[in-house]
Amino acid sequence: MTRVLAALLLVVWSCPAISAAPAAFAWPDGRKAAVSLAYDDALDSQLDAAMPALDRHGFKGSFYLTLSADTVRTRMSDWRAAARNGHELGNHSLFHQCSASKPGRDWVMPRNDLDTMTAAQMQAQVRLASTMLQAIDGATARTFTVPCGDTRARDGDYVAGLAEDFVGIKVTGGAVVPDMRTLDVQAVPVEAPVGLDGEALIALVEDAARRGTMVNLTFHGIGAEHLAVSREAHAQLLEHLAAHRDVYWTATFRDIMAWVQSRKAPADAPPRPVEVP
């Protein structure tokens, strides 16, 4: 019996399929998930409501500017101050071109119809937007959020040709990254949490912590303007993140992508579930 048991133990120890589970993706200071809080379209409520709320908790957000927006021109000093304070200014194109042919896109002006643009034209405009952003904040490393998640111009995918220009690129696909092993940093899923209450927002970050991955939330209006969430819901989410700093790494999308690129998860390392407060 002793010899049989020893033989069985030898098989167990030497079998790769049943060896110890590999480590989960490593976030800074042993945290369970990364949280990217982003804000699209350069809206007044982001400067007046979102940014002060972030600052109260010491969080840094990612603000994706459409460079033709009036708020960029009229509140340039505020955006510069935000960058000096550690917030990220991201690229959201010059004119927010989206595909007018998709359902519910009657608001897309003909001059901003992605369906009529070539990939080369869009790439040139996005690069010009990055140059303009550098003139505002002095930064050279940049991230991009694709307007409407639409990547296809008249003659093909324009975003694929921008991979070398950005530390990370966000497209549509859901708030929570399912698996850090397979994440493409040039096609990171993101969700605009329109109308969600605080509990629903918290549920999303808790899901990311259980998976050991990251959550990408892109807000628009905060208590005002379009695609809005309430100030109360936004505040409730921030309070939860602040109360559990040991669980969540809340950082700019640029910083998170730089971390991810520096620490590639092993191809055979499934993320392990963890308990979330």
Side-chain angles (χ1 to χ4, degrees), residues 169-178 183-184 187-191 215-216 253:
I169 297 176
K170 285 185 285 187
V171 296
T172 55
V176 179
V177 173
L183 177 66
D184 180 355
V188 179
V190 65
E191 181 175 317
V215 58
N216 298 299
F253 185 66

Side-chain angles (χ1 to χ4, degrees), residues 42 44 47 65-80 132 136:
D44 281 315
L47 289 165
L65 275 56
T66 302
L67 275 299
S68 61
D70 285 342
T71 313
V72 175
R73 174 178 54 83
T74 61
R75 304 191 66 173
M76 181 72 72
S77 61
D78 292 329
W79 294 115
R80 285 201 169 112
M132 295 173 67
I136 297 172

Side-chain angles (χ1 to χ4, degrees), residues 7-16 18-19:
L8 288 173
L9 289 174
L10 180 61
V11 170
V12 169
W13 289 334
S14 62
C15 180
I18 52 180
S19 60

Side-chain angles (χ1 to χ4, degrees), residues 197-218:
D197 62 15
E199 290 184 359
L201 293 172
I202 290 170
L204 289 171
V205 301
E206 288 178 337
D207 185 23
R210 280 189 293 270
R211 295 172 184 263
T213 61
M214 68 180 294
V215 58
N216 298 299
L217 298 173
T218 291

Side-chain angles (χ1 to χ4, degrees), residues 222-277:
I222 304 298
E225 300 146 335
H226 61 274
L227 301 177
V229 299
S230 69
R231 290 192 182 200
E232 294 76 15
H234 184 258
Q236 190 175 347
L237 171 63
L238 298 189
E239 289 164 6
H240 178 80
L241 295 173
H244 302 290
R245 295 178 191 269
D246 59 327
V247 176
Y248 305 108
W249 179 40
T250 304
T252 66
F253 185 66
R254 178 171 54 201
D255 285 350
I256 295 171
M257 287 297 96
W259 178 272
V260 169
Q261 292 197 46
S262 70
R263 290 164 174 80
K264 295 295 187 182
D268 59 347
R272 293 180 296 181
V274 296
E275 292 191 7
V276 181

